[in-house]
Amino acid sequence: MAQLNYWLLLGSFLLLLATLSSTITARLGLPLLLVFLGVGMLAGDSGPGQIQFSNYPLAFGVGNVALAVILLAGGLQTRIQSFRVALKPALSLATVGVLVSAGLAGVFAHWLLDLPWLHALLLGAIVGSTDAAAVFAQLRYGGVRLNERVGATLEIESGANDPMAIFLVVTLLTVVSGASQPSATGMLIEFVRQFGLGAVGGLAGGWLISRAASRFSLAESLYPLLILGGGLMIFAATNSLGGSGFLGIYLAGLVIGNRPLPASESVRSMMDGLAWLAQAGMFLLLGLLVTPSRLLPEIGPSLAFAALLMFIARPIAVALCLIPLKFSRREILFVSWVGLRGAVPIVLATFPIMAGVNGSVALFDIAFAVVLASLLIQGTLVPWMAKRCRVEVPDYPEPLARHGLRQPGRADWQIVQYRVVAGAPAEHSMPHTAPHLEHGRAKPLAVLRGVRLMLPRQAEHLRAGDLVVAAATEHALPDLGRWYGEAQNTRMAYERTFFGDFVIDGDAPLLAIAELYDCPVAENEAEFDVAALIHARLNRPAVVGDQVDFGSMTLIVREVERGRITRVGLKLGH
């Protein structure tokens, strides 16, 4: 019992220390996962903690379960609508991109680190894929909102590229260890089995879990446990059948999160907390595995290898995958930059150690150095790169709280709360006359002023500090956030800088705009409206933030509804 209390006290102290340290690193712009990793290293045998830990099988098991929880939570928060613009590029990056990155990394490892070819290619496969934990954490909590095409591509890629990396590592391990020499046919069959069973198991399992959740009436606090238990069952069953459990649990979360689900906000909130706990525990444990005194003598070549991976291998792989899909150079540059490495390479690096491959500890140390460099350099500069590459779009304040409504067949209505800030458009307005209520997407229910709860008609005019409770659809939340939660002059100044001084409808005739601003119009575009021109110039589905030059002006997509451009910003003198 004393031993149990000791480890429980130590683990909780490390978790608390890493969490509190995040307040400092947030000001410095450092990724939170780097903090957990650093605390684990300091607690290890070469740090002040002096904890002796070298249980690679335990770290492998914990890492797998933690990654499964993270992918399930990530799938729950991924909107199926994002697949309209991101499925093709994400799948290309998750397969061809990983293969190219791993191959180039293997060449660099052989040349720079003087590793035998098979060991070099094995190292390339270990570090060739991006990490879902690192990507989800930086994109969703890094303080930047990306345009839908770029953000969804990066998230879906990180959720779907683990099968390719595992396939490459396992295949190369069988060759390095001399267990067998896999044939091309056998490799193809294994590849199809990994992806096929993972996809089928995840989609079918997710549908079954969502059906079970909607049919059984449970206490609200039990629905997250149902989702978690069902997701881990899909993960284990898919792995047992020879498929990719990681792909399966991500797709299961995607299906569950996009179907009607009782207590959906409670499920997402609890799963988000569990994902953070999984990330913290996993990175603390992986940090304990590292011996800095063993890492330091080879840190120079390892960091040089990491630089080649970040600045040459990843950009080449991304360019090969995204240029045919009409991504702009700025988007390709940003996607190349956010090739974050995290827990996945470290977990994969335990494979050779457990298989008894010669030199496997050195491969583990190099992979760890790559992860440190990626989180420290790439992760820290994600917001800065988003601004430089102009792939961010204006964000909107989130509700203070939200609660999903239980209703058969629909899950989009929810109860939300907003605090009216000073200078917001809602200040001094009547609660029931706000412009976002016109299309029936939101309805104010109550206003809390101090300790007095009132109906909207009793409040007369809203004041700064009022708490507004409303029923709203998901689609209405951006408008609600801007209406209640942000000062109008701040919002207008930022949107004017981003979208330009003027706003026009997507169906505005192009000739009328051309005559007004004296711009030439090509003969084949004379019958276009503004939306048609943007679609024709982009030659791909449009998202908010897409830009097209027209004469001396720039047209910037401001609103998109069901694939149709409805509002466009106009910026003069591009």
Side-chain angles (χ1 to χ4, degrees), residues 382-406:
V382 165
W384 181 81
M385 282 295 294
K387 290 182 174 65
R388 295 291 297 176
C389 296
R390 291 185 291 167
V391 295
E392 65 171 351
V393 295
D395 205 353
Y396 56 88
E398 292 284 344
L400 297 177
R402 58 168 74 183
H403 185 81
L405 295 177
R406 294 195 185 190

Side-chain angles (χ1 to χ4, degrees), residues 104-105 108-109 111-112 303-315:
L104 290 175
F108 295 148
W111 167 68
L112 182 65
L303 292 179
F305 172 69
L308 291 172
L309 177 64
M310 290 188 290
F311 301 125
I312 297 180
R314 169 73 176 179

Side-chain angles (χ1 to χ4, degrees), residues 3 6 10 141 155 158 161 185 201 266 346 354 506 515 550:
Q3 188 78 356
Y6 169 77
L10 181 62
Y141 309 102
E155 289 193 3
S158 67
N161 66 7
T185 303
S266 296
I346 301 176
M354 293 188 294
E515 291 176 5
F550 179 61

Side-chain angles (χ1 to χ4, degrees), residues 439 441 475 503-508 529-532 534-535 542-544 556-569:
H439 304 292
R441 294 171 179 162
H475 189 78
V503 181
I504 56 178
D505 291 333
D507 57 4
D529 57 20
V530 173
I534 295 175
H535 279 299
V543 297
V544 173
I556 306 167
V557 178
R558 187 170 180 135
E559 285 185 8
V560 178
E561 290 188 15
R562 298 179 181 178
R564 172 70 180 171
I565 300 171
T566 55
R567 299 179 74 197
V568 176

Side-chain angles (χ1 to χ4, degrees), residues 86-103:
L87 182 59
K88 287 182 180 179
L91 288 182
S92 180
L93 289 170
T95 51
V96 177
V98 172
L99 185 62
V100 173
S101 292

Side-chain angles (χ1 to χ4, degrees), residues 30-39 283 371-373 375-376 380:
L30 297 175
L32 179 57
L33 300 183
L34 190 63
V35 178
F36 292 122
L37 204 58
V39 170
F283 276 83
V371 170
L372 280 179
L375 291 176
L376 188 59
T380 301

